[in-house]
Amino acid sequence: MISTCLDVNEKGHLTIGGADTVDLAAAYGTPLYVMDETAIREACRSYKASIDEFYGGKGLPLYASKAFCCKEIYRIMAEEGMGADVVSGGELYTALAAGFPADKIFFHGNNKTEAELKLALEKNVGTIVADNMTELHTLSRLAAEMGRRVRVFLRIKPGIDAHTHNFIRTGQIDSKFGFALETGEAEEAARLAHSLSGLELVGLHCHIGSQIFELDPFCLAAEVMLRFMARLQKEGIQIKELNLGGGFGIRYKEEEHPQPYHAFMEKVAGTVAATCAAEKLETPYIYIEPGRSIVGPAGITLYTVGAVKDIPGVRTYVSIDGGMTDNPRYALYQAGYEVITANKAGKPRNFTVTVAGKCCESGDLIQENTKIQYCEPGDILAVLATGAYNYTMSSNYNRICRPPVVMVKDGEARVIVKGETYEDLCRNDM
Ligand code: LLP
């Protein structure tokens, strides 16, 4: 199985975290998001352990909560001693409502509104990652108005694009995020942040992409950022902290083999140490921001099969009771997934199907021409590795209710997000 929390029991049913998925579907209905708490906690611990091992404990993993956001996940992250990356007033509000420590929150975003920045300052959010000059000026003004000093990071575009399986080093990256190095904008921003009253420029941040399998782009990004830090140091601008972002790839398809996280940490830490020595820099305090790799492999989505439609010579559509409203990633990115007939998980996967959702939209597909165990109406399908960017990217298109999220721990399940009702859908209608 692609995730360690998945198995097949003696009944031939798929299990997650020791719970039988067929029983979960019967108890909570479908569609149903299921997450395994042990897998989530293990991922956090492995990131923390490798920071201890390779940076002598001088660092902190921040959970990128856009991957999966609800109160319970912030409680778990707080218990695991993680920091958190939030990107909106809504994520910030949720984190605080769950009692997540404000000082361990990094607030990101390329266009934080003044209301969002005010909320962050009022609630003593630890760090604001500034994206642009306008924001630096706004922050300085708000700091004066509110009698606050603000810990600021600058988001830098290091000129490395790792969005595909092959990374490229470009002179000038076209991105809405952050300050460009090549044009001198990043340097100008550092000077501005250093000089503006109320701001304390403590760190630099970069994020080179998501679902990345190679280690080299991360190393190159670290090197570029440290060289920039050394340049600033010569100007008298001391930067003590470095956030290297997230983006570590996970296994969606059986043929994918991502690097273990500690291999990534070891190699990047080697680059950090070597570059610091060459540039005569003190090793900065290191942050990383994994999202997908913490929750992605820990989640699955369960559906009930409705119609099975064979179009001879064309393809077989298996229609499920969810679709792009709970998982828009195939429609958006042609994302790969493994699909299993959960109640026949012990059988061979020799039925080639296209899994279709129930929206009025031909592109509402979860996977095309994929091999699953034979299935018929009433069977339970499981789509694997849906823990990241599924629930958080869900919608109410066609007025379809969002499914509940159930957390499993050692075979026991509990609802952590209730499913929406039709009344919920009309709650704000006048
Ligand atoms: N830090 C920053 C600044 C980010 O922008 C992101 C992701 C992360 C950390 C976490 O990256 P991760 O470790 O999860 O790869 N909706 C897309 C993914 C968008 C990622 C955006 N930024 C998807 O479904 O694949």
Side-chain angles (χ1 to χ4, degrees), residues 64 66-67 85 87 108 155 177 205-207 209-212 243 245-249 252 289-293 329 332-333 388-390 393:
K66 72 207 80 179
D85 143 7
V87 292
H108 282 277
R155 176 155 184 173
F177 296 107
H205 168 275
C206 67
H207 172 77
S210 202
Q211 186 60 5
I212 301 167
N243 182 335
F248 322 118
Y252 282 106
E289 272 170 352
R292 187 192 314 268
S293 52
R329 295 191 71 258
L332 275 175
Y333 320 119
Y389 304 113
N390 272 233
M393 291 176 71

Side-chain angles (χ1 to χ4, degrees), residues 16 22 25 44 232 270 298 306 346 355 412 416:
I16 175 165
V22 179
C44 297
L232 293 178
V355 180
E412 296 295 315
I416 62 164

Side-chain angles (χ1 to χ4, degrees), residues 38-343:
T38 305
I40 294 171
R41 289 187 187 268
E42 274 171 3
C44 297
R45 286 172 199 178
S46 106
Y47 277 122
K48 292 206 84 173
S50 46
I51 286 200
D52 286 347
E53 186 175 349
F54 301 118
Y55 293 103
K58 273 188 65 189
L60 182 70
L62 311 172
Y63 167 61
S65 54
K66 72 207 80 179
F68 176 71
C69 180
C70 66
K71 285 186 186 177
E72 186 66 358
I73 199 75
Y74 288 112
R75 291 186 200 112
I76 292 172
M77 292 302 143
E79 280 175 19
E80 292 299 326
M82 302 279 288
D85 143 7
V86 304
V87 292
S88 68
E91 286 185 358
L92 175 57
Y93 179 90
T94 310
L96 296 172
F100 193 86
D103 61 325
K104 283 175 129 175
I105 296 179
F106 276 59
F107 192 8
H108 282 277
N110 67 303
N111 193 22
K112 305 172 198 75
T113 64
E114 187 156 330
E116 286 175 321
L117 288 173
K118 263 192 186 149
L119 175 70
L121 298 193
E122 266 163 30
K123 301 292 181 189
N124 296 314
V125 162
T127 308
I128 309 287
V129 184
D131 176 274
N132 53 72
M133 303 290 185
T134 308
E135 189 179 353
L136 286 174
H137 287 290
T138 308
L139 275 174
S140 176
R141 176 169 52 77
L142 290 177
E145 283 169 17
M146 299 169 76
R148 284 282 318 276
R149 266 187 86 69
V150 186
R151 247 176 68 92
V152 170
F153 268 54
L154 299 178
R155 176 155 184 173
I156 307 294
K157 289 186 251 196
I160 295 152
D161 190 345
H163 273 98
T164 63
H165 282 227
N166 284 317
F167 75 97
I168 41 167
R169 179 110 209 250
T170 55
Q172 171 75 53
I173 278 211
D174 177 6
S175 164
K176 68 173 183 172
F177 296 107
F179 299 101
L181 265 182
E182 300 80 351
T183 58
E185 187 194 21
E187 209 151 340
E188 206 186 309
R191 288 190 197 121
L192 179 66
H194 188 61
S195 68
L196 281 173
S197 65
L199 305 191
E200 193 186 341
L201 175 59
V202 290
L204 300 181
H205 168 275
C206 67
H207 172 77
I208 56 171
S210 202
Q211 186 60 5
I212 301 167
F213 285 111
E214 291 158 296
L215 300 181
D216 290 347
F218 290 109
C219 292
L220 186 53
E223 196 182 318
V224 168
M225 296 296 283
L226 289 163
R227 289 194 198 288
F228 179 49
M229 250 183 206
R231 270 195 358 242
L232 293 178
Q233 183 166 283
K234 289 195 187 101
E235 278 195 35
I237 303 176
Q238 291 267 358
I239 307 278
K240 296 269 173 63
E241 303 182 15
L242 176 60
N243 182 335
L244 293 169
F248 322 118
I250 67 163
R251 193 172 185 199
Y252 282 106
K253 299 291 284 180
E254 253 151 28
E255 59 271 23
E256 291 170 336
H257 295 285
Q259 308 271 350
Y261 311 139
H262 67 264
F264 148 81
M265 294 292 269
E266 183 170 20
K267 192 151 186 225
V268 178
T271 304
V272 169
T275 314
C276 287
E279 297 286 343
K280 298 187 177 50
L281 269 180
E282 212 179 289
T283 305
Y285 190 88
I286 299 285
Y287 297 91
I288 51 165
E289 272 170 352
R292 187 192 314 268
S293 52
I294 290 184
V295 288
I300 60 172
T301 313
L302 300 177
Y303 303 97
T304 302
V305 173
V308 177
K309 196 174 282 180
D310 181 38
I311 308 175
V314 183
R315 59 167 120 192
T316 303
Y317 282 100
V318 170
S319 289
I320 50 170
D321 52 355
M324 66 185 290
T325 45
D326 58 77
N327 181 1
R329 295 191 71 258
Y330 186 78
L332 275 175
Y333 320 119
Q334 288 76 54
Y337 285 103
E338 295 291 346
V339 186
I340 297 227
T341 307
N343 51 322

